[in-house]
Amino acid sequence: MGLAEVEATARAAHTGQTDKAGRPYAEHLHAVAEGVRLRGGDVEQIAAAWLHDAVEDDRLSHAWLDEAALTRRTKDIVLAVTKRSGEPPEEYAARVLATPGALLVKEADLAHNADPARLAVLDDATRTRLTAKYARMRALLGLDAGPDAGPDAGPDSGT
C-alpha cells in the first residue's frame, strides 16, 4: 500500500470525526504525517503517522491492520503508538521506545497536540490538563520539554 492509499484510507476511516475544537480530525493526521516527514522520517513512519490513531479510536480494527498491505515495521509502529485501555503511561512510553521508528511518530504527534495555538482554543481546565499530560509523556520518552509543532491548528481528541 503506497502513501497515497494509506492517506486515503486514514482520511476515510476518520470521516466525520472531529477534534476537541470541532476541526476535521484528518487535519491532525496530516500534521503528524508532515511532522514525521520534516523530522526525517521514512515512508514507513509517514504511513504509520497517517494511521497512528485509527486502531486506538476504533476507526480501523486490529484485524484490518493485520491484513493490510503494509510493512511489518509500519504495523509495529502503529501498534506501538496505540494506547491500550487502562495502560499506565510508563508502559506505553516503554513500548514506544522499544519499537524501532515509533518514537519519531509519537514525537510528531505530541508536538502537534501541544501546539500552543491549538491549545489556546480550549477551556483553561482542559488546556492545563492536556499540557501537563503531554509534558509528562515527553519526559517519559526522553524528549525535550518544548513542543516543536507546525502551523496546523485544532486540538485532537486527546490521544
Side-chain angles (χ1 to χ4, degrees), residues 9-32:
T9 298
R11 287 181 180 277
H14 290 274
T15 297
Q17 184 179 2
T18 57
D19 64 22
K20 289 183 185 307
R23 302 292 309 158
Y25 202 77
E27 291 177 6
H28 172 64
L29 303 177
H30 178 265
V32 175

Side-chain angles (χ1 to χ4, degrees), residues 16-119:
Q17 184 179 2
T18 57
D19 64 22
K20 289 183 185 307
R23 302 292 309 158
Y25 202 77
E27 291 177 6
H28 172 64
L29 303 177
H30 178 265
V32 175
E34 183 64 6
V36 168
R37 187 188 68 75
L38 291 172
R39 287 171 173 80
D42 59 33
V43 171
E44 292 171 316
Q45 290 169 304
I46 295 168
W50 276 107
L51 298 169
H52 81 277
D53 281 334
V55 175
E56 181 177 313
D57 292 353
D58 292 324
R59 296 297 178 146
L60 296 171
S61 68
H62 282 278
W64 177 89
L65 187 62
D66 286 342
E67 299 297 320
L70 299 166
T71 66
R72 180 73 258 161
R73 182 168 172 254
T74 296
K75 292 176 185 184
D76 288 346
I77 293 169
V78 171
L79 292 172
V81 299
T82 297
K83 293 184 190 121
R84 300 170 186 166
S85 180
E87 179 178 40
E90 296 81 5
E91 288 180 21
Y92 174 76
R95 185 175 61 253
V96 169
L97 290 170
T99 305
L103 181 60
L104 187 68
V105 174
K106 190 60 188 176
E107 180 181 16
D109 181 36
L110 285 168
H112 191 245
N113 286 344
D115 181 344
R118 298 181 78 229
L119 292 170

Side-chain angles (χ1 to χ4, degrees), residues 20 113-114 119 122 125-135 155-158:
K20 289 183 185 307
N113 286 344
L119 292 170
L122 302 176
T126 301
R127 183 174 46 253
T128 299
R129 178 182 61 80
L130 292 177
T131 298
K133 173 184 169 182
Y134 301 145
D156 77 348
S157 65

